[in-house]
Amino acid sequence: MSSLENCPACGASATRSHPVLTAPFIAAYVLERPIEPCRLMICDDCGLWFFDRRYSDAEMAKLYGNYRGDGYFEVRHHFEPWYTRAFNDHLGRDPKEIAARNAATSAFLEESDDRKTFATILDYGGDSGQFMPPGLGGEKFVYELSDAPCVPGVTRIADKKDFAAEGYDLVMLCHVLEHAPDPASMLREMHAYLAGPEARLYVEVPYERGCNLKFAPPTDAYRAWLKFVTRLPAPLITLLDFYSSGFRDRFSLIPPLGFFKMHEHINFFDALSLKRALEATGYQVVHCATEGRCVRALAHRPA
Ligand SMILES: [Zn+2]
């Protein structure tokens, strides 16, 4: 894991930070060390929240190599007993969730742009291709390392060298950037996959920024508390994790004596930070908005 002071979206130096802990599941499964303090950085320039600790390539491979597979589930369920098998197996598979996501994507594309049809679509990291709205038409491809079978009408590309040399009319990058140690390099990589200035890049990330951190202040007393937490017996850490995560999920608040944890999401965007990340990597943003629990953007590369 390396350390980062500058904002990975806009490049400014982060002005504020809050003490946090590496998640017990991440510490065991990815980092292979005890939980430890790190920092949640806040960029006052663009608004991005991010952790100063970044995953190395090897750690990314450990975390996402068999993502949500049996080994992943067993370790995660051990450290987070509330993370159930049913939840794990239904993530991204629930027909209602898929239909709702596709309707929201279609609506956003519809209201954003004069371009409504795409002859070719690539969903980068798009699982089984279930999140390309059927109504978009066109030939659909998904770039996915896992061998999850594709939904009908979608072709899987497992190797980047098999990407169409002329690029794609629409490239989708959904729920990927929040996991990326270097989101700017990932956005730059997409340049090559767009079929010219008329092609569009659609980016979607979760909106998770509204967490109240007043009980996780950057003070010596709170840092000392976190240090103490790292030395507690494992069952107590699990209880404290449950209490903290529950409050964070339900009330968007880290409760007194709780902790904010570094888990799989390492970048927390809002509309401004996503726009700034796109502009800093050579895109012109057509439309960008926060809608409910999602931030969406449509962009292209000017000629
Ligand atoms: Zn920034």
Side-chain angles (χ1 to χ4, degrees), residues 71-86:
Y72 169 99
F73 172 75
E74 274 158 33
V75 180
R76 186 152 176 195
H77 181 68
H78 172 80
F79 286 97
E80 302 171 11
W82 55 94
Y83 184 83
T84 63
R85 171 62 81 177

PDB file of all heavy atoms in Angstrom, residues 71-86:
ATOM      1  N   GLY A  71     -14.042 -17.928  -1.483  1.00  0.00           N
ATOM      2  CA  GLY A  71     -12.977 -17.531  -0.566  1.00  0.00           C
ATOM      3  C   GLY A  71     -13.222 -16.130  -0.025  1.00  0.00           C
ATOM      4  O   GLY A  71     -13.072 -15.864   1.173  1.00  0.00           O
ATOM      5  N   TYR A  72     -13.618 -15.240  -0.907  1.00  0.00           N
ATOM      6  CA  TYR A  72     -13.943 -13.861  -0.534  1.00  0.00           C
ATOM      7  C   TYR A  72     -15.078 -13.865   0.482  1.00  0.00           C
ATOM      8  O   TYR A  72     -15.001 -13.243   1.539  1.00  0.00           O
ATOM      9  CB  TYR A  72     -14.345 -13.088  -1.796  1.00  0.00           C
ATOM     10  CG  TYR A  72     -14.949 -11.722  -1.555  1.00  0.00           C
ATOM     11  CD1 TYR A  72     -14.160 -10.579  -1.673  1.00  0.00           C
ATOM     12  CD2 TYR A  72     -16.301 -11.567  -1.250  1.00  0.00           C
ATOM     13  CE1 TYR A  72     -14.717  -9.316  -1.477  1.00  0.00           C
ATOM     14  CE2 TYR A  72     -16.856 -10.318  -1.046  1.00  0.00           C
ATOM     15  CZ  TYR A  72     -16.061  -9.196  -1.158  1.00  0.00           C
ATOM     16  OH  TYR A  72     -16.601  -7.955  -0.961  1.00  0.00           O
ATOM     17  N   PHE A  73     -16.145 -14.599   0.149  1.00  0.00           N
ATOM     18  CA  PHE A  73     -17.323 -14.588   1.022  1.00  0.00           C
ATOM     19  C   PHE A  73     -16.980 -15.108   2.412  1.00  0.00           C
ATOM     20  O   PHE A  73     -17.378 -14.517   3.416  1.00  0.00           O
ATOM     21  CB  PHE A  73     -18.475 -15.404   0.420  1.00  0.00           C
ATOM     22  CG  PHE A  73     -19.591 -15.555   1.407  1.00  0.00           C
ATOM     23  CD1 PHE A  73     -20.433 -14.472   1.665  1.00  0.00           C
ATOM     24  CD2 PHE A  73     -19.755 -16.721   2.139  1.00  0.00           C
ATOM     25  CE1 PHE A  73     -21.424 -14.565   2.638  1.00  0.00           C
ATOM     26  CE2 PHE A  73     -20.742 -16.816   3.101  1.00  0.00           C
ATOM     27  CZ  PHE A  73     -21.586 -15.742   3.345  1.00  0.00           C
ATOM     28  N   GLU A  74     -16.235 -16.223   2.461  1.00  0.00           N
ATOM     29  CA  GLU A  74     -15.941 -16.824   3.768  1.00  0.00           C
ATOM     30  C   GLU A  74     -15.186 -15.867   4.686  1.00  0.00           C
ATOM     31  O   GLU A  74     -15.530 -15.717   5.853  1.00  0.00           O
ATOM     32  CB  GLU A  74     -15.143 -18.118   3.587  1.00  0.00           C
ATOM     33  CG  GLU A  74     -16.060 -19.303   3.364  1.00  0.00           C
ATOM     34  CD  GLU A  74     -15.358 -20.454   2.667  1.00  0.00           C
ATOM     35  OE1 GLU A  74     -14.146 -20.636   2.893  1.00  0.00           O
ATOM     36  OE2 GLU A  74     -16.040 -21.156   1.883  1.00  0.00           O
ATOM     37  N   VAL A  75     -14.156 -15.211   4.153  1.00  0.00           N
ATOM     38  CA  VAL A  75     -13.381 -14.291   4.990  1.00  0.00           C
ATOM     39  C   VAL A  75     -14.238 -13.066   5.359  1.00  0.00           C
ATOM     40  O   VAL A  75     -14.266 -12.637   6.512  1.00  0.00           O
ATOM     41  CB  VAL A  75     -12.081 -13.841   4.280  1.00  0.00           C
ATOM     42  CG1 VAL A  75     -11.288 -12.890   5.169  1.00  0.00           C
ATOM     43  CG2 VAL A  75     -11.229 -15.055   3.918  1.00  0.00           C
ATOM     44  N   ARG A  76     -14.970 -12.568   4.388  1.00  0.00           N
ATOM     45  CA  ARG A  76     -15.766 -11.377   4.682  1.00  0.00           C
ATOM     46  C   ARG A  76     -16.855 -11.676   5.707  1.00  0.00           C
ATOM     47  O   ARG A  76     -17.091 -10.891   6.622  1.00  0.00           O
ATOM     48  CB  ARG A  76     -16.379 -10.809   3.393  1.00  0.00           C
ATOM     49  CG  ARG A  76     -17.093  -9.496   3.668  1.00  0.00           C
ATOM     50  CD  ARG A  76     -17.159  -8.555   2.525  1.00  0.00           C
ATOM     51  NE  ARG A  76     -17.950  -7.377   2.916  1.00  0.00           N
ATOM     52  CZ  ARG A  76     -18.437  -6.500   2.082  1.00  0.00           C
ATOM     53  NH1 ARG A  76     -18.207  -6.614   0.783  1.00  0.00           N
ATOM     54  NH2 ARG A  76     -19.137  -5.475   2.520  1.00  0.00           N
ATOM     55  N   HIS A  77     -17.502 -12.839   5.553  1.00  0.00           N
ATOM     56  CA  HIS A  77     -18.564 -13.210   6.496  1.00  0.00           C
ATOM     57  C   HIS A  77     -17.985 -13.437   7.901  1.00  0.00           C
ATOM     58  O   HIS A  77     -18.632 -13.143   8.907  1.00  0.00           O
ATOM     59  CB  HIS A  77     -19.284 -14.458   5.991  1.00  0.00           C
ATOM     60  CG  HIS A  77     -20.404 -14.896   6.876  1.00  0.00           C
ATOM     61  ND1 HIS A  77     -21.561 -14.149   7.026  1.00  0.00           N
ATOM     62  CD2 HIS A  77     -20.546 -15.983   7.687  1.00  0.00           C
ATOM     63  CE1 HIS A  77     -22.360 -14.765   7.884  1.00  0.00           C
ATOM     64  NE2 HIS A  77     -21.770 -15.866   8.300  1.00  0.00           N
ATOM     65  N   HIS A  78     -16.773 -13.949   7.962  1.00  0.00           N
ATOM     66  CA  HIS A  78     -16.131 -14.158   9.260  1.00  0.00           C
ATOM     67  C   HIS A  78     -15.933 -12.821   9.989  1.00  0.00           C
ATOM     68  O   HIS A  78     -16.205 -12.707  11.184  1.00  0.00           O
ATOM     69  CB  HIS A  78     -14.775 -14.859   9.070  1.00  0.00           C
ATOM     70  CG  HIS A  78     -13.962 -14.940  10.325  1.00  0.00           C
ATOM     71  ND1 HIS A  78     -14.193 -15.895  11.295  1.00  0.00           N
ATOM     72  CD2 HIS A  78     -12.936 -14.167  10.782  1.00  0.00           C
ATOM     73  CE1 HIS A  78     -13.349 -15.698  12.293  1.00  0.00           C
ATOM     74  NE2 HIS A  78     -12.563 -14.666  12.014  1.00  0.00           N
ATOM     75  N   PHE A  79     -15.446 -11.806   9.270  1.00  0.00           N
ATOM     76  CA  PHE A  79     -15.187 -10.510   9.910  1.00  0.00           C
ATOM     77  C   PHE A  79     -16.421  -9.618   9.960  1.00  0.00           C
ATOM     78  O   PHE A  79     -16.493  -8.706  10.782  1.00  0.00           O
ATOM     79  CB  PHE A  79     -14.047  -9.774   9.181  1.00  0.00           C
ATOM     80  CG  PHE A  79     -12.701 -10.373   9.493  1.00  0.00           C
ATOM     81  CD1 PHE A  79     -12.117 -11.290   8.645  1.00  0.00           C
ATOM     82  CD2 PHE A  79     -12.047 -10.041  10.672  1.00  0.00           C
ATOM     83  CE1 PHE A  79     -10.893 -11.869   8.945  1.00  0.00           C
ATOM     84  CE2 PHE A  79     -10.819 -10.604  10.982  1.00  0.00           C
ATOM     85  CZ  PHE A  79     -10.242 -11.524  10.122  1.00  0.00           C
ATOM     86  N   GLU A  80     -17.374  -9.848   9.057  1.00  0.00           N
ATOM     87  CA  GLU A  80     -18.601  -9.053   9.018  1.00  0.00           C
ATOM     88  C   GLU A  80     -19.775 -10.034   8.961  1.00  0.00           C
ATOM     89  O   GLU A  80     -20.316 -10.285   7.885  1.00  0.00           O
ATOM     90  CB  GLU A  80     -18.603  -8.133   7.778  1.00  0.00           C
ATOM     91  CG  GLU A  80     -17.405  -7.189   7.731  1.00  0.00           C
ATOM     92  CD  GLU A  80     -17.291  -6.428   6.389  1.00  0.00           C
ATOM     93  OE1 GLU A  80     -18.234  -6.451   5.571  1.00  0.00           O
ATOM     94  OE2 GLU A  80     -16.233  -5.811   6.178  1.00  0.00           O
ATOM     95  N   PRO A  81     -20.155 -10.616  10.123  1.00  0.00           N
ATOM     96  CA  PRO A  81     -21.201 -11.654  10.107  1.00  0.00           C
ATOM     97  C   PRO A  81     -22.517 -11.169   9.490  1.00  0.00           C
ATOM     98  O   PRO A  81     -23.327 -11.980   9.057  1.00  0.00           O
ATOM     99  CB  PRO A  81     -21.387 -11.993  11.592  1.00  0.00           C
ATOM    100  CG  PRO A  81     -20.137 -11.527  12.261  1.00  0.00           C
ATOM    101  CD  PRO A  81     -19.627 -10.359  11.471  1.00  0.00           C
ATOM    102  N   TRP A  82     -22.706  -9.860   9.455  1.00  0.00           N
ATOM    103  CA  TRP A  82     -23.931  -9.299   8.866  1.00  0.00           C
ATOM    104  C   TRP A  82     -23.887  -9.310   7.333  1.00  0.00           C
ATOM    105  O   TRP A  82     -24.886  -9.039   6.682  1.00  0.00           O
ATOM    106  CB  TRP A  82     -24.163  -7.863   9.376  1.00  0.00           C
ATOM    107  CG  TRP A  82     -22.993  -6.944   9.141  1.00  0.00           C
ATOM    108  CD1 TRP A  82     -22.814  -6.109   8.079  1.00  0.00           C
ATOM    109  CD2 TRP A  82     -21.846  -6.762   9.980  1.00  0.00           C
ATOM    110  NE1 TRP A  82     -21.625  -5.428   8.200  1.00  0.00           N
ATOM    111  CE2 TRP A  82     -21.012  -5.804   9.363  1.00  0.00           C
ATOM    112  CE3 TRP A  82     -21.444  -7.317  11.206  1.00  0.00           C
ATOM    113  CZ2 TRP A  82     -19.793  -5.392   9.917  1.00  0.00           C
ATOM    114  CZ3 TRP A  82     -20.237  -6.900  11.757  1.00  0.00           C
ATOM    115  CH2 TRP A  82     -19.424  -5.961  11.107  1.00  0.00           C
ATOM    116  N   TYR A  83     -22.728  -9.628   6.753  1.00  0.00           N
ATOM    117  CA  TYR A  83     -22.603  -9.762   5.298  1.00  0.00           C
ATOM    118  C   TYR A  83     -22.970 -11.207   4.954  1.00  0.00           C
ATOM    119  O   TYR A  83     -22.164 -12.117   5.120  1.00  0.00           O
ATOM    120  CB  TYR A  83     -21.174  -9.433   4.855  1.00  0.00           C
ATOM    121  CG  TYR A  83     -20.981  -9.445   3.349  1.00  0.00           C
ATOM    122  CD1 TYR A  83     -21.309  -8.338   2.573  1.00  0.00           C
ATOM    123  CD2 TYR A  83     -20.481 -10.574   2.702  1.00  0.00           C
ATOM    124  CE1 TYR A  83     -21.142  -8.359   1.192  1.00  0.00           C
ATOM    125  CE2 TYR A  83     -20.311 -10.597   1.325  1.00  0.00           C
ATOM    126  CZ  TYR A  83     -20.639  -9.482   0.587  1.00  0.00           C
ATOM    127  OH  TYR A  83     -20.472  -9.507  -0.788  1.00  0.00           O
ATOM    128  N   THR A  84     -24.211 -11.416   4.532  1.00  0.00           N
ATOM    129  CA  THR A  84     -24.735 -12.779   4.395  1.00  0.00           C
ATOM    130  C   THR A  84     -24.519 -13.345   3.000  1.00  0.00           C
ATOM    131  O   THR A  84     -24.280 -12.607   2.047  1.00  0.00           O
ATOM    132  CB  THR A  84     -26.244 -12.806   4.690  1.00  0.00           C
ATOM    133  OG1 THR A  84     -26.888 -11.980   3.700  1.00  0.00           O
ATOM    134  CG2 THR A  84     -26.561 -12.300   6.077  1.00  0.00           C
ATOM    135  N   ARG A  85     -24.644 -14.665   2.910  1.00  0.00           N
ATOM    136  CA  ARG A  85     -24.527 -15.361   1.624  1.00  0.00           C
ATOM    137  C   ARG A  85     -25.583 -14.837   0.640  1.00  0.00           C
ATOM    138  O   ARG A  85     -25.285 -14.579  -0.529  1.00  0.00           O
ATOM    139  CB  ARG A  85     -24.683 -16.864   1.870  1.00  0.00           C
ATOM    140  CG  ARG A  85     -24.803 -17.706   0.638  1.00  0.00           C
ATOM    141  CD  ARG A  85     -23.582 -17.639  -0.252  1.00  0.00           C
ATOM    142  NE  ARG A  85     -22.498 -18.506   0.180  1.00  0.00           N
ATOM    143  CZ  ARG A  85     -21.344 -18.639  -0.505  1.00  0.00           C
ATOM    144  NH1 ARG A  85     -21.149 -17.966  -1.620  1.00  0.00           N
ATOM    145  NH2 ARG A  85     -20.397 -19.415  -0.057  1.00  0.00           N
ATOM    146  N   ALA A  86     -26.809 -14.667   1.130  1.00  0.00           N
ATOM    147  CA  ALA A  86     -27.889 -14.217   0.231  1.00  0.00           C
ATOM    148  C   ALA A  86     -27.553 -12.835  -0.330  1.00  0.00           C
ATOM    149  O   ALA A  86     -27.707 -12.577  -1.524  1.00  0.00           O
ATOM    150  CB  ALA A  86     -29.213 -14.171   0.987  1.00  0.00           C
TER     151      ALA A  86
END
